[in-house]
Amino acid sequence: ILERLQTEKIRIIWVGRELDNGFYHYIKLMLDQKYPGKVIFVGHQSDKYYDYFALADGFLILSLQESFPLVAMEASYFNLPIVSFEYGAAKEVLADTVAQIIELFDIKLFVQAMVKVMRGGLGDVKKGLNQNIPFHKVQQVARFNQLIKRLTD
């Protein structure tokens, strides 16, 4: 991803628990040498966790496997456009108006989606949770009312 974005003015802030193993330390060292200052590892956050959302222009979900990531809901709440690989429930959790969901390992499309977000081209993400998350109470009440109507007709 960084190889294809060398000419872009970007910073990726990596929030999360730091692993104590050789692979993790190798990745950090390699990124720092090859792309100095492009990826900033801030470790696990609690007190300043939401401050990092406020800094962001977009949100990346690089996981290959997820069930129902809370961070996707949080990013939507902060009106951040999301670029995500297609993990378990991505299409059910992330609405098209706030997210670009990319087939696994399609780095070219992932980078194109990131550039689109950086250029402000994802669309209106200001709707936030109230309209974009399919599990929000507004959508659930409407579905419940439709179910009751079908059962009583």
Side-chain angles (χ1 to χ4, degrees):
I1 293 172
L2 290 171
E3 183 72 30
R4 294 177 186 222
L5 292 171
Q6 285 187 36
T7 60
E8 299 290 336
K9 185 178 176 182
I10 64 164
R11 299 289 180 273
I12 296 175
I13 300 173
W14 194 294
V15 179
R17 181 174 58 99
E18 296 190 64
L19 303 176
D20 190 22
N21 63 40
F23 182 70
Y24 181 80
H25 291 288
Y26 167 76
I27 294 295
K28 282 180 69 174
L29 179 66
M30 187 273 304
L31 287 171
D32 194 41
Q33 288 177 354
K34 193 166 182 179
Y35 308 102
K38 292 285 188 183
V39 180
I40 302 162
F41 291 86
V42 296
H44 174 76
Q45 298 293 312
S46 54
D47 294 341
K48 296 181 181 181
Y49 178 69
Y50 292 111
D51 294 345
Y52 288 100
F53 284 98
L55 287 173
D57 295 320
F59 192 82
L60 307 177
I61 299 177
L62 299 169
S63 300
L64 302 180
Q65 295 180 354
E66 288 284 349
S67 54
F68 192 84
L70 179 59
V71 294
M73 303 296 104
E74 293 167 328
S76 293
Y77 180 80
F78 283 94
N79 296 315
L80 292 174
I82 300 168
V83 178
S84 172
F85 283 121
E86 185 176 354
Y87 60 82
K91 289 183 179 177
E92 290 78 19
V93 175
L94 303 172
D96 292 341
T97 53
V98 297
Q100 289 271 287
I101 301 169
I102 308 300
E103 188 175 325
L104 284 180
F105 304 115
D106 194 334
I107 301 299
K108 182 178 179 181
L109 282 179
F110 197 89
V111 169
Q112 288 173 354
M114 286 177 64
V115 170
K116 187 175 180 181
V117 165
M118 290 186 295
R119 306 270 190 275
L122 189 55
D124 182 15
V125 297
K126 296 297 180 191
K127 294 177 183 178
L129 282 172
N130 290 335
Q131 302 195 11
N132 291 316
I133 304 304
F135 301 106
H136 189 273
K137 64 184 175 189
V138 172
Q139 286 81 2
Q140 293 306 319
V141 168
R143 289 182 185 133
F144 179 74
N145 287 336
Q146 289 173 350
L147 176 63
I148 295 298
K149 186 174 186 260
R150 271 197 335 237
L151 292 174
T152 58
D153 286 344

